[in-house]
Amino acid sequence: MMDNAHDHIDNPEFQADMLETLDETVGKMKGLIARLKNIKETKQMKFVPCDLSEVVLRGVKDAGSPEMLVVKDRVPVCIDATEIEKVVHNLLLNAYDADANRDAIAVEVGRNGMAFFEVSDDGRGMSEDFIRNRLFRPFQSTKSHGFGIGLYQCRHIVEAHGGKIEVLSKEGEGSTFRVSLPLADSQLAFSS
């Protein structure tokens, strides 16, 4: 835009396009700042007992694909449901970007010592080097339109819950993201 401004600044169409581009850029920057600010404010989460399956289902529906969820049984947790729904939504958006075939994307909820949910795709996959050195770092993205803070934010949310997020991936074979969270007393979780 700056390179073209020297030659076209007097053109009303260029001026209008430049203002629109600047307005969009400012909006994106404000959104980025707000998202980064929210990462630091994870201490303000509201933990409530609930069923992880229901929370994940809401996150899946929010991402637009309720038919892909596989639930083995009810999974009691004490979490900030809104924040965990954001994690589900972000992992699904990443899976959609990695795999054009949405039918190959799967979400599973269960327990195995801990509560967990997984998002799997048959997409491009990632190298071990990328996973180890860049995947959860801010401002590292493989997407041309990405900010590179989605997974960084997801990891902070999950860790604030006493959980962990892991990834298994091979280039050309897809990826599976597993979010593990502490189980809660089922009497407490299912009575609310």
Side-chain angles (χ1 to χ4, degrees):
M1 186 172 60
M2 290 303 296
D3 290 341
N4 289 330
H6 295 290
D7 296 330
H8 304 285
I9 195 66
D10 294 330
N11 181 336
E13 286 181 35
F14 177 80
Q15 291 172 359
D17 188 46
M18 183 176 70
L19 289 174
E20 183 179 330
T21 301
L22 285 172
D23 189 43
E24 287 176 13
T25 302
V26 169
K28 287 179 181 180
M29 291 174 70
K30 285 180 180 178
L32 175 62
I33 290 167
R35 287 178 70 187
L36 289 172
K37 183 179 175 210
N38 286 342
I39 290 170
K40 299 300 180 191
E41 294 175 355
T42 55
K43 295 173 191 151
Q44 298 176 1
M45 290 188 196
K46 293 181 173 72
F47 293 86
V48 295
C50 58
D51 179 4
L52 182 61
S53 301
E54 292 174 6
V55 174
V56 172
L57 181 59
R58 287 193 304 267
V60 169
K61 284 182 178 179
D62 185 45
S65 297
E67 70 279 352
M68 67 177 55
L69 181 62
V70 175
V71 178
K72 305 234 175 185
D73 59 3
R74 296 173 73 177
V75 182
V77 290
C78 188
I79 58 173
D80 183 317
T82 302
E83 293 299 313
I84 295 300
E85 284 176 36
K86 288 179 189 176
V87 173
V88 174
H89 187 256
N90 189 282
L91 293 178
L92 278 170
L93 292 182
N94 287 348
Y96 296 159
D97 283 343
D99 193 342
N101 179 13
R102 287 190 177 199
D103 292 337
I105 297 171
V107 180
E108 181 178 343
V109 179
R111 58 175 129 180
N112 186 8
M114 290 186 83
F116 74 85
F117 66 90
E118 291 181 342
V119 176
S120 301
D121 66 67
D122 290 340
R124 297 182 299 272
M126 297 170 281
S127 70
E128 286 184 37
D129 180 63
F130 182 82
I131 294 168
R132 185 175 39 258
N133 297 311
R134 296 181 55 204
L135 183 63
F136 292 104
R137 287 192 147 156
F139 309 113
Q140 303 286 316
S141 180
T142 59
K143 303 175 202 170
S144 61
H145 61 281
F147 287 122
I149 61 170
L151 286 174
Y152 175 73
Q153 184 178 30
C154 286
R155 185 173 70 181
H156 278 274
I157 290 169
V158 171
E159 288 176 352
H161 283 80
K164 62 183 176 179
I165 183 169
E166 301 167 294
V167 62
L168 296 171
S169 185
K170 282 192 173 180
E171 289 183 284
E173 295 182 24
S175 303
T176 297
F177 283 82
R178 176 180 268 222
V179 173
S180 299
L181 300 163
L183 283 164
D185 176 20
S186 60
Q187 297 294 345
L188 180 65
F190 299 136
S191 64
S192 56

